[in-house]
Amino acid sequence: NTAKAFVSLYKDDTLLREKAVTLVKGYNSISFDLDTSVSGEFNYELKISSDDDTSKFNNSYLFNQAVSEKVKMLFITEVESDKQAAIELYGDTCEIDFNNKKDVPYTIEDLSKYDEFVLSNVDIRNLNNYSQFIDSLDTLVSKFGKSLITFGNTYIQNNYDDPTLAVLNNMLPVKFGNDDNEGKLVTLCLD
């Protein structure tokens, strides 16, 4: 079963784009590029219209887009001097929230406002609700495309007994040299 349809994208009640598509029974994927060159909050609506439609009540989808001028970062560290190093590294390209306390946001709702997360010289096991924090972080990185960066020691090497540290380790793009793996450890230093 197929049906010819038009999919229309509206931004703040103004038609932006329209596509003629053929819909099949089941799952259909149709995408539009959204403009991110201007900061602000934007309201979008997708509308589907087809002459063969048996129900016109489920043909609209509303969503919002928030575009900020600066990347919003949560920077978690146990070393106070890391704060100054981050300011020098990122300059004014980021809006950085520093946290050097045990209480950190840990729910997906609280963390979703950040684009990037930095763990710098911090043992996450010292944080309150660290398992929930890592679970939420894993979802935000893997499903929503948020960014995770680590600096310094994150205390995940050779800690096989803590499943939360295993989740954190699996989120990182490189695996650290563990003493039961291959006998060499490579360290990259960037200056």
Side-chain angles (χ1 to χ4, degrees):
N1 258 354
T2 63
K4 301 274 188 212
F6 286 98
V7 179
S8 306
L9 175 67
Y10 293 84
K11 178 179 179 181
D12 296 323
D13 297 323
T14 302
L15 178 65
L16 283 182
R17 292 181 199 89
E18 191 168 57
K19 289 184 180 181
V21 298
T22 301
L23 300 175
V24 296
K25 186 176 182 177
Y27 180 77
N28 294 268
S29 178
I30 301 153
S31 62
F32 291 97
D33 291 332
L34 301 180
D35 181 18
T36 58
S37 64
V38 178
S39 64
E41 294 268 341
F42 306 101
N43 300 309
Y44 288 92
E45 183 175 14
L46 281 172
K47 292 183 180 179
I48 300 172
S49 61
S50 174
D51 291 337
D52 299 331
D53 196 358
T54 57
S55 174
K56 308 268 187 213
F57 297 106
N58 62 349
N59 295 353
S60 178
Y61 176 73
L62 300 170
F63 66 97
N64 297 334
Q65 176 195 36
V67 179
S68 60
E69 290 181 23
K70 295 183 178 185
V71 171
K72 189 153 175 71
M73 175 191 297
L74 177 60
F75 194 101
I76 300 172
T77 184
E78 292 176 342
V79 178
E80 190 62 35
S81 61
D82 285 358
K83 181 177 181 177
Q84 187 57 39
I87 291 169
E88 291 173 15
L89 178 64
Y90 289 100
D92 61 356
T93 62
C94 289
E95 181 182 326
I96 305 173
D97 286 349
F98 290 97
N99 189 311
N100 63 354
K101 299 172 181 61
K102 290 184 180 242
D103 287 323
V104 296
Y106 60 89
T107 65
I108 289 177
E109 293 79 13
D110 290 339
L111 293 170
S112 65
K113 69 181 179 181
Y114 297 103
D115 305 300
E116 194 164 287
F117 303 93
V118 177
L119 302 176
S120 181
N121 292 306
V122 63
D123 185 345
I124 62 160
R125 295 169 296 179
N126 294 335
L127 304 175
N128 294 335
N129 303 304
Y130 79 93
S131 290
Q132 294 91 339
F133 169 74
I134 291 299
D135 284 345
S136 296
L137 190 61
D138 186 33
T139 299
L140 291 167
V141 169
S142 64
K143 304 264 191 272
F144 296 98
K146 304 289 184 164
S147 177
L148 171 64
I149 298 171
T150 61
F151 294 125
N153 194 353
T154 53
Y155 302 90
I156 59 175
Q157 302 89 336
N158 301 321
N159 285 305
Y160 304 110
D161 297 333
D162 190 327
T164 302
L165 290 180
V167 172
L168 176 59
N169 192 24
N170 289 332
M171 279 194 282
L172 300 175
V174 294
K175 299 300 175 221
F176 291 97
N178 294 317
D179 55 11
D180 65 340
N181 289 344
E182 190 175 327
K184 53 186 158 172
L185 174 62
V186 176
T187 302
L188 299 175
C189 296
L190 302 174
D191 188 2

